[in-house]
Amino acid sequence: MRGSTKLTTRKAFIAGNWKMNTDSHTSVKLAQDVVSMSRDVAGSAVDVAVCPPFVYLQQGAKALSSSRVALGAQDVYFEQKGAFTGEISAGMLKDAGCTYVICGHSERRHVIGEGDELVNKKVHAAILGGLLPILCVGELLEERKANKTTEVVTRQMKKGLAGLSPEKMSAVTIAYEPVWAIGTGLTATPQQAQEVHALIRKLLAEVFGRKIAGEIRIQYGGSVKPDNAGELMAEEDVDGLLVGGASLKADDFTAIVKAAVS
Ligand code: PEP
């Protein structure tokens, strides 16, 4: 339900975050199924990306090679190379066929312990390495209950994007993902999402100017399913969706992709 009343010219962008799921067989099958089921809209009416685990990126790249579904990674390290055991650089991700990379996902912030400064370095490194970062921001349940959503999102935005020029900013997508809605089955209402998306666009305008702010895509993420994707996408400042659980089923993910443009 991409509402006919919606004024934006921003192209919808739907990304699937597979997290630590799939194996060498199911990752290829999932990528192939997404390609065949979204062929009529992917890349033309809507940008589509899937983000497999690191070890399946190259197989994913092969499965997506003759399609317009893009490949993304779930994380990146900020150094270019060297003695950083276990880490993966932007150059390596580019070499593996990635276009996008998720930076500052809430599971990395709250499970692994990444802070805003580290996330900011990752955003810079991604752009320097020729990738398009998806910067995730969002408040915890206790922060929402304490009326701290604006404060938290403003801090994550300002620190996460510190030092970027307006030109570099045009490579970035923002994903608003309230932590209380991720993997919980609780979704923000379209109005709750729009409220924070409007705040994010206002913050972007203050720092980068109205033109850039009007061009940046802001995704919503948090228990998106085929039956709520349309109403979320109908909101003026919801330009796309970052999908976790539902991206592991090709038919659900494709239904979400199609709901974004119908
Ligand atoms: C996510 O991991 O970015 C996410 C939004 O997960 P889910 O859709 O499962 O809530």
Side-chain angles (χ1 to χ4, degrees):
M1 200 209 304
R2 193 131 164 92
S4 53
T5 54
K6 217 168 152 170
L7 299 171
T8 180
T9 53
R10 294 179 292 272
K11 190 176 178 188
F13 175 26
I14 311 298
N17 174 14
W18 296 358
K19 310 194 186 190
M20 200 171 72
N21 293 297
T22 70
D23 59 28
S24 57
H25 298 288
T26 55
S27 56
V28 171
K29 173 87 170 79
L30 181 53
Q32 287 169 338
D33 287 349
V34 168
V35 167
S36 63
M37 293 167 79
S38 67
R39 199 178 299 281
D40 48 339
V41 289
S44 49
V46 51
D47 286 335
V48 181
V50 294
C51 305
F54 285 140
V55 288
Y56 306 130
L57 283 172
Q58 285 189 308
Q59 283 149 294
K62 244 188 234 168
L64 302 178
S65 63
S66 58
S67 82
R68 297 183 69 189
V69 176
L71 188 69
Q74 299 173 19
D75 186 32
V76 64
Y77 195 57
F78 63 87
E79 296 284 2
Q80 290 182 17
K81 63 176 184 168
F84 304 103
T85 302
E87 296 295 345
I88 308 282
S89 70
M92 291 170 178
L93 295 179
K94 188 87 184 153
D95 191 35
C98 289
T99 300
Y100 296 96
V101 62
I102 299 170
C103 296
H105 188 278
S106 70
E107 285 145 19
R108 297 216 59 89
R109 291 180 189 265
H110 300 293
V111 180
I112 314 288
E114 290 187 5
D116 290 316
E117 287 74 16
L118 177 56
V119 173
N120 176 249
K121 286 183 183 175
K122 292 185 174 196
V123 170
H124 278 273
I127 297 171
L128 190 68
L131 297 169
L132 304 176
I134 300 171
L135 171 65
C136 299
V137 298
E139 80 286 2
L140 296 162
L141 182 58
E142 54 266 37
E143 292 167 336
R144 175 160 281 263
K145 283 185 174 161
N147 284 323
K148 288 191 170 163
T149 300
T150 299
E151 184 190 316
V152 170
V153 170
T154 302
R155 191 203 71 230
Q156 291 174 335
M157 285 287 293
K158 291 205 164 154
K159 293 197 168 179
L161 299 173
L164 288 187
S165 64
E167 294 67 39
K168 284 190 173 162
M169 187 60 211
S170 54
V172 179
T173 296
I174 306 294
Y176 169 56
E177 299 207 301
V179 183
W180 48 271
I182 296 181
T184 58
L186 294 174
T187 316
T189 64
Q191 294 70 28
Q192 285 173 321
Q194 169 59 28
E195 205 174 290
V196 182
H197 283 228
L199 164 72
I200 290 171
R201 204 170 307 282
K202 181 172 140 282
L203 293 168
L204 290 170
E206 281 167 16
V207 181
F208 301 103
R210 284 173 60 101
K211 183 173 179 296
I212 299 281
E215 291 165 1
I216 303 295
R217 294 184 291 192
I218 307 172
Q219 296 176 317
Y220 167 80
S223 299
V224 174
K225 302 277 180 295
D227 62 1
N228 59 24
E231 60 183 19
L232 287 157
M233 284 298 297
E235 293 297 327
E236 188 61 34
D237 289 293
V238 178
D239 308 313
L241 302 164
L242 181 52
V243 186
S247 71
L248 294 170
K249 289 188 184 149
D251 46 0
D252 279 356
F253 184 63
T254 311
I256 291 168
V257 166
K258 294 191 175 173
V261 287
S262 60

